[in-house]
Amino acid sequence: MSANIKANTLTPSDILARKGGDPLVCLTAYTTPMARLVDAHCDVVLVGDSVGMVLHGLPSTLGVTMEMMVMHGAAVARGVSRALMVVDMPFGSYEESPEQAFRNAARLMRQTGCAAVKLEGGVAMADTIAYLAARSIPVMAHIGLTPQAINTLGGYKVQGRGDDAARILSDARAVAEAGAFAVVLEKVPESLANQITADLPIPTIGIGASADCDGQILVVDDMLGLFAAFKPKFVKRFAELEGDADAAIADYAKQVRARSFPGPEHVFGDQAPEGTT
Ligand code: KIV
Protein backbone atom coordinates (compact mmCIF):
# COMPACT_ATOMS: atom_id res chain seq x y z
CA MET A 1 0.00 0.00 0.00
CA SER A 2 1.51 3.35 -0.92
CA ALA A 3 0.62 6.96 -0.11
CA ASN A 4 -2.09 8.09 -2.47
CA ILE A 5 -2.80 11.81 -2.92
CA LYS A 6 -6.06 12.34 -4.85
CA ALA A 7 -7.15 15.57 -6.53
CA ASN A 8 -9.67 17.58 -4.45
CA THR A 9 -8.71 15.86 -1.22
CA LEU A 10 -8.65 18.21 1.76
CA THR A 11 -5.17 18.75 3.19
CA PRO A 12 -4.00 19.62 6.71
CA SER A 13 -3.45 23.21 5.45
CA ASP A 14 -7.08 23.35 4.27
CA ILE A 15 -8.21 22.25 7.73
CA LEU A 16 -5.93 24.83 9.40
CA ALA A 17 -7.35 27.54 7.11
CA ARG A 18 -10.85 26.79 8.45
CA LYS A 19 -9.96 28.29 11.86
CA GLY A 20 -12.88 30.50 12.85
CA GLY A 21 -14.82 29.54 9.70
CA ASP A 22 -17.55 27.02 8.93
CA PRO A 23 -17.54 24.21 11.50
CA LEU A 24 -15.32 21.24 10.63
CA VAL A 25 -17.33 18.02 10.47
CA CYS A 26 -15.33 14.99 11.59
CA LEU A 27 -16.16 11.34 12.29
CA THR A 28 -14.23 8.13 12.75
CA ALA A 29 -14.26 5.18 10.32
CA TYR A 30 -12.49 1.83 10.42
CA THR A 31 -13.70 0.06 7.26
CA THR A 32 -14.04 0.85 3.55
CA PRO A 33 -17.87 0.94 3.39
CA MET A 34 -18.17 3.20 6.45
CA ALA A 35 -15.36 5.42 5.13
CA ARG A 36 -17.35 5.94 1.88
CA LEU A 37 -20.43 7.04 3.86
CA VAL A 38 -18.45 9.36 6.12
CA ASP A 39 -16.35 10.81 3.28
CA ALA A 40 -19.49 11.98 1.49
CA HIS A 41 -20.40 14.33 4.36
CA CYS A 42 -17.30 15.07 6.44
CA ASP A 43 -14.11 17.13 6.27
CA VAL A 44 -12.00 14.75 8.34
CA VAL A 45 -12.15 10.95 8.60
CA LEU A 46 -10.25 9.74 11.66
CA VAL A 47 -9.11 6.14 11.89
CA GLY A 48 -9.30 6.32 15.66
CA ASP A 49 -7.69 3.88 18.05
CA SER A 50 -11.26 3.60 19.39
CA VAL A 51 -11.32 0.79 16.77
CA GLY A 52 -9.91 -1.44 19.52
CA MET A 53 -13.01 -1.03 21.69
CA VAL A 54 -15.59 -0.60 18.93
CA LEU A 55 -14.60 -3.39 16.52
CA HIS A 56 -12.22 -5.63 18.46
CA GLY A 57 -14.00 -5.77 21.83
CA LEU A 58 -10.99 -4.52 23.81
CA PRO A 59 -11.70 -2.98 27.24
CA SER A 60 -9.71 0.21 26.42
CA THR A 61 -7.54 1.62 23.62
CA LEU A 62 -4.34 0.47 25.35
CA GLY A 63 -4.21 -2.87 23.53
CA VAL A 64 -4.34 -1.35 20.05
CA THR A 65 -1.28 -2.12 17.90
CA MET A 66 0.44 -0.53 14.90
CA GLU A 67 -0.64 -3.55 12.84
CA MET A 68 -4.31 -2.86 13.65
CA MET A 69 -3.95 0.82 12.71
CA VAL A 70 -2.20 -0.06 9.44
CA MET A 71 -4.87 -2.61 8.50
CA HIS A 72 -7.84 -0.35 9.29
CA GLY A 73 -6.07 2.71 7.85
CA ALA A 74 -5.49 0.95 4.53
CA ALA A 75 -9.15 -0.15 4.44
CA VAL A 76 -10.39 3.38 5.15
CA ALA A 77 -8.09 4.86 2.48
CA ARG A 78 -9.95 2.77 -0.13
CA GLY A 79 -13.18 4.58 0.78
CA VAL A 80 -11.96 8.17 1.14
CA SER A 81 -11.60 10.58 -1.75
CA ARG A 82 -12.50 14.05 -0.45
CA ALA A 83 -11.97 14.24 3.31
CA LEU A 84 -8.63 14.51 5.09
CA MET A 85 -7.75 11.08 6.46
CA VAL A 86 -5.99 11.07 9.83
CA VAL A 87 -4.74 7.92 11.57
CA ASP A 88 -4.27 7.61 15.33
CA MET A 89 -0.87 6.64 16.68
CA PRO A 90 -1.54 3.79 19.13
CA PHE A 91 -0.34 3.68 22.74
CA GLY A 92 3.39 2.89 22.93
CA SER A 93 4.16 3.89 19.34
CA TYR A 94 5.33 7.49 19.95
CA GLU A 95 5.88 8.34 23.63
CA GLU A 96 9.44 6.98 23.96
CA SER A 97 11.19 9.55 21.74
CA PRO A 98 10.60 11.84 18.78
CA GLU A 99 12.60 9.36 16.66
CA GLN A 100 10.29 6.48 17.61
CA ALA A 101 7.30 8.69 16.80
CA PHE A 102 8.78 9.60 13.40
CA ARG A 103 9.45 5.95 12.52
CA ASN A 104 5.91 4.87 13.35
CA ALA A 105 4.17 7.94 11.90
CA ALA A 106 6.11 7.50 8.64
CA ARG A 107 5.04 3.84 8.57
CA LEU A 108 1.38 4.82 9.04
CA MET A 109 1.62 7.36 6.19
CA ARG A 110 3.52 4.96 3.90
CA GLN A 111 1.36 1.89 4.51
CA THR A 112 -2.09 3.52 4.72
CA GLY A 113 -1.85 6.62 2.52
CA CYS A 114 -3.03 8.91 5.36
CA ALA A 115 -1.96 12.56 5.16
CA ALA A 116 -1.69 13.17 8.91
CA VAL A 117 -1.46 11.40 12.25
CA LYS A 118 -3.07 12.12 15.61
CA LEU A 119 -1.37 11.64 18.95
CA GLU A 120 -2.42 12.24 22.55
CA GLY A 121 -0.67 14.65 24.91
CA GLY A 122 0.02 18.35 25.41
CA VAL A 123 3.14 19.90 26.97
CA ALA A 124 4.76 16.46 27.30
CA MET A 125 4.39 15.77 23.57
CA ALA A 126 5.29 19.26 22.27
CA ASP A 127 8.87 18.34 21.30
CA THR A 128 7.62 15.26 19.47
CA ILE A 129 4.97 17.25 17.59
CA ALA A 130 7.62 19.83 16.57
CA TYR A 131 9.99 17.04 15.46
CA LEU A 132 7.30 15.42 13.28
CA ALA A 133 6.01 18.71 11.86
CA ALA A 134 9.56 19.71 10.87
CA ARG A 135 9.90 16.40 9.02
CA SER A 136 6.79 16.60 6.81
CA ILE A 137 4.39 14.80 9.16
CA PRO A 138 1.26 16.86 9.87
CA VAL A 139 0.03 16.27 13.41
CA MET A 140 -3.42 16.60 14.92
CA ALA A 141 -3.03 16.82 18.71
CA HIS A 142 -5.49 15.44 21.30
CA ILE A 143 -5.72 16.94 24.80
CA GLY A 144 -8.12 17.03 27.75
CA LEU A 145 -9.31 13.49 28.38
CA THR A 146 -6.71 11.38 26.60
CA PRO A 147 -8.02 7.79 26.75
CA GLN A 148 -4.54 6.23 26.41
CA ALA A 149 -3.75 7.83 29.80
CA ILE A 150 -6.74 6.50 31.77
CA ASN A 151 -4.45 4.76 34.23
CA THR A 152 -2.75 8.02 35.24
CA LEU A 153 -5.87 10.19 34.87
CA GLY A 154 -7.85 7.80 37.06
CA GLY A 155 -10.54 6.97 34.48
CA TYR A 156 -12.64 8.73 31.86
CA LYS A 157 -13.19 11.91 33.91
CA VAL A 158 -13.79 15.50 32.77
CA GLN A 159 -10.42 17.28 32.61
CA GLY A 160 -9.68 20.93 33.39
CA ARG A 161 -12.28 21.81 36.01
CA GLY A 162 -11.40 24.60 38.46
CA ASP A 163 -7.67 25.09 39.04
CA ASP A 164 -6.90 22.28 36.58
CA ALA A 165 -7.98 24.54 33.69
CA ALA A 166 -4.50 26.12 33.60
CA ARG A 167 -2.94 22.71 32.84
CA ILE A 168 -5.23 22.11 29.85
CA LEU A 169 -4.71 25.67 28.58
CA SER A 170 -0.92 25.13 28.74
CA ASP A 171 -1.34 21.87 26.83
CA ALA A 172 -3.38 23.64 24.17
CA ARG A 173 -0.84 26.43 23.74
CA ALA A 174 2.06 23.97 23.69
CA VAL A 175 0.65 21.82 20.86
CA ALA A 176 -0.26 24.86 18.78
CA GLU A 177 3.20 26.39 19.25
CA ALA A 178 4.79 23.04 18.39
CA GLY A 179 3.08 23.08 14.98
CA ALA A 180 -0.03 20.88 15.29
CA PHE A 181 -2.51 21.84 12.53
CA ALA A 182 -5.56 21.13 14.74
CA VAL A 183 -6.31 19.88 18.23
CA VAL A 184 -9.01 17.58 19.58
CA LEU A 185 -10.43 18.77 22.92
CA GLU A 186 -12.05 15.84 24.70
CA LYS A 187 -14.29 16.09 27.76
CA VAL A 188 -13.33 19.54 29.03
CA PRO A 189 -15.75 22.13 30.50
CA GLU A 190 -17.57 24.20 27.87
CA SER A 191 -16.17 27.52 29.17
CA LEU A 192 -12.59 26.21 28.98
CA ALA A 193 -13.18 24.86 25.45
CA ASN A 194 -14.44 28.31 24.43
CA GLN A 195 -11.43 30.02 26.03
CA ILE A 196 -9.02 27.67 24.21
CA THR A 197 -10.88 28.12 20.90
CA ALA A 198 -10.61 31.91 21.23
CA ASP A 199 -6.94 31.72 22.28
CA LEU A 200 -5.45 29.30 19.72
CA PRO A 201 -4.53 30.05 16.11
CA ILE A 202 -5.41 26.46 15.09
CA PRO A 203 -8.84 24.79 14.88
CA THR A 204 -10.21 23.08 17.97
CA ILE A 205 -12.26 19.95 17.36
CA GLY A 206 -14.57 19.20 20.25
CA ILE A 207 -15.84 15.91 21.66
CA GLY A 208 -17.68 16.56 24.89
CA ALA A 209 -16.38 20.16 24.77
CA SER A 210 -18.45 22.99 23.21
CA ALA A 211 -20.64 23.73 20.18
CA ASP A 212 -18.42 26.78 19.67
CA CYS A 213 -15.31 24.73 18.92
CA ASP A 214 -14.07 25.07 15.33
CA GLY A 215 -15.35 21.54 14.63
CA GLN A 216 -16.86 18.44 16.18
CA ILE A 217 -15.92 14.77 16.16
CA LEU A 218 -17.72 11.62 17.32
CA VAL A 219 -17.08 7.90 17.04
CA VAL A 220 -19.29 6.89 14.11
CA ASP A 221 -20.54 3.69 15.73
CA ASP A 222 -21.61 5.73 18.78
CA MET A 223 -23.65 8.27 16.81
CA LEU A 224 -25.24 5.53 14.71
CA GLY A 225 -26.22 3.55 17.81
CA LEU A 226 -24.12 0.61 16.59
CA PHE A 227 -21.90 0.53 19.68
CA ALA A 228 -24.28 0.18 22.59
CA ALA A 229 -21.96 -1.20 25.30
CA PHE A 230 -22.12 2.24 26.95
CA LYS A 231 -23.03 5.81 25.96
CA PRO A 232 -20.94 8.72 27.23
CA LYS A 233 -22.94 11.92 27.99
CA PHE A 234 -21.34 13.68 25.00
CA VAL A 235 -22.68 11.15 22.49
CA LYS A 236 -25.88 11.96 20.65
CA ARG A 237 -27.39 8.97 18.88
CA PHE A 238 -28.55 10.09 15.44
CA ALA A 239 -29.83 6.54 14.73
CA GLU A 240 -30.39 3.29 16.61
CA LEU A 241 -28.86 0.82 14.17
CA GLU A 242 -28.04 -1.85 16.74
CA GLY A 243 -31.77 -2.31 17.37
CA ASP A 244 -32.47 -2.49 13.61
CA ALA A 245 -29.68 -5.04 13.11
CA ASP A 246 -30.91 -7.15 16.03
CA ALA A 247 -34.46 -7.19 14.62
CA ALA A 248 -33.22 -8.11 11.13
CA ILE A 249 -31.03 -10.98 12.41
CA ALA A 250 -33.88 -12.29 14.58
CA ASP A 251 -36.18 -12.23 11.51
CA TYR A 252 -33.57 -14.08 9.42
CA ALA A 253 -33.19 -16.75 12.14
CA LYS A 254 -36.98 -17.16 12.32
CA GLN A 255 -37.32 -17.54 8.53
CA VAL A 256 -34.47 -20.08 8.28
CA ARG A 257 -36.02 -22.16 11.07
CA ALA A 258 -39.44 -21.97 9.37
CA ARG A 259 -37.86 -22.83 5.96
CA SER A 260 -39.45 -19.70 4.49
CA PHE A 261 -36.03 -18.38 3.50
CA PRO A 262 -34.67 -18.80 0.87
CA GLY A 263 -37.81 -18.18 -1.19
CA PRO A 264 -38.37 -19.13 -4.85
CA GLU A 265 -36.79 -15.83 -5.94
CA HIS A 266 -33.51 -16.70 -4.18
CA VAL A 267 -32.90 -20.17 -5.68
CA PHE A 268 -31.87 -21.39 -9.17
CA GLY A 269 -33.63 -23.70 -11.62
CA ASP A 270 -31.66 -26.33 -13.55
CA GLN A 271 -32.40 -24.48 -16.84
CA ALA A 272 -30.88 -21.04 -17.43
CA PRO A 273 -33.69 -18.46 -17.99
CA GLU A 274 -34.17 -17.50 -21.64
CA GLY A 275 -31.77 -14.87 -22.92
CA THR A 276 -29.05 -15.78 -20.40
CA THR A 277 -26.21 -18.24 -20.69
O1 KIV B 1 -9.95 7.16 18.89
C1 KIV B 1 -10.85 7.97 18.60
O2 KIV B 1 -11.88 7.63 18.00
C2 KIV B 1 -10.65 9.37 18.98
C3 KIV B 1 -11.79 10.31 18.81
C4 KIV B 1 -12.89 9.98 19.72
C5 KIV B 1 -11.36 11.72 18.94
O3 KIV B 1 -9.61 9.72 19.41
Side-chain angles (χ1 to χ4, degrees), residues 213-232:
C213 285
D214 296 296
Q216 300 296 326
I217 189 161
L218 284 176
V219 169
V220 73
D221 294 64
D222 281 342
M223 55 82 72
L224 291 176
L226 269 172
F227 181 71
F230 58 87
K231 187 180 97 59

Side-chain angles (χ1 to χ4, degrees), residues 70-106:
V70 166
M71 188 183 74
H72 288 286
V76 167
R78 292 189 279 271
V80 170
S81 59
R82 198 197 71 84
L84 172 70
M85 176 176 143
V86 181
V87 176
D88 255 346
M89 300 199 72
F91 178 63
S93 72
Y94 60 95
E95 301 89 334
E96 202 176 310
S97 65
E99 290 81 0
Q100 182 212 24
F102 179 82
R103 238 184 349 268
N104 284 315

Side-chain angles (χ1 to χ4, degrees), residues 28 30 46-51 61 88 118 120 142 147 184 186 207 217-219:
T28 65
Y30 319 112
L46 171 69
V47 187
D49 62 351
S50 49
V51 67
T61 56
D88 255 346
K118 177 165 82 58
E120 296 182 8
H142 182 158
V184 170
E186 180 164 352
I207 173 165
I217 189 161
L218 284 176
V219 169

Side-chain angles (χ1 to χ4, degrees), residues 146-192:
T146 46
Q148 293 174 11
I150 44 161
N151 290 312
T152 44
L153 294 177
Y156 296 93
K157 297 176 185 160
V158 174
Q159 300 294 310
R161 280 195 170 130
D163 290 348
D164 196 32
R167 174 178 66 89
I168 304 296
L169 187 56
S170 303
D171 282 341
R173 288 179 176 152
V175 299
E177 275 162 27
F181 70 89
V183 57
V184 170
L185 298 183
E186 180 164 352
K187 222 167 167 182
V188 297
E190 188 180 26
S191 57
L192 176 60

